[in-house]
Amino acid sequence: MDARYVFRVRVHIEPARAVVSLEPDSAETTVTLYRDAPEPGTEGWLFFRNTLWRGAVGDDDYARRLAAEWLGVPERTVDAVNFRELQTDEAYLDALTEAIAADLEAFKADDVDDALSKYLGSSIRVTDGD
């Protein structure tokens, strides 16, 4: 099983101390950040439920804090975080749907498709695992 969350993260750098300068004064870039998706039913597997809504980041400030933590940079350097997709193979998606089905009430959903749509929108891409 293999799956990962994909985010676009906009970061900037600028001097942290008055004795340091840059030319230009600051730099900004956007990177693609990949975060492994924990196996359904294991610790952290509800990341998507707790962080995403309709295929987008649910709380921008929280997402910027998370991205800064993941990247090991000061929070002030992360300007924006956008969720792109869950890249998954069939085995992971099957395990995910089984885990959701086992506790639909936790997702406040009528069925698995409703839960997936509620949190991931249409942002699921199934790969062949290669």
Side-chain angles (χ1 to χ4, degrees), residues 13-92:
I13 59 171
E14 57 188 32
R17 299 179 184 176
V19 296
V20 175
S21 61
L22 297 176
E23 195 171 301
D25 292 341
S26 65
E28 181 177 287
T29 190
T30 302
V31 297
T32 302
L33 182 147
Y34 300 94
R35 182 188 188 278
D36 290 345
E39 185 176 325
T42 65
E43 183 177 342
W45 81 278
L46 293 173
F47 170 80
F48 71 97
R49 186 197 70 182
N50 300 334
T51 310
L52 306 172
W53 183 251
R54 302 283 184 214
V57 168
D59 180 334
D60 291 330
D61 291 336
Y62 177 65
R64 285 193 299 274
R65 282 193 303 274
L66 285 177
E69 178 184 318
W70 298 337
L71 295 169
V73 299
E75 190 177 321
R76 64 182 162 70
T77 64
V78 178
D79 293 332
V81 179
N82 296 298
F83 175 68
R84 291 296 189 218
E85 65 186 8
L86 171 65
Q87 292 178 353
T88 178
D89 60 18
E90 286 286 349
Y92 184 92

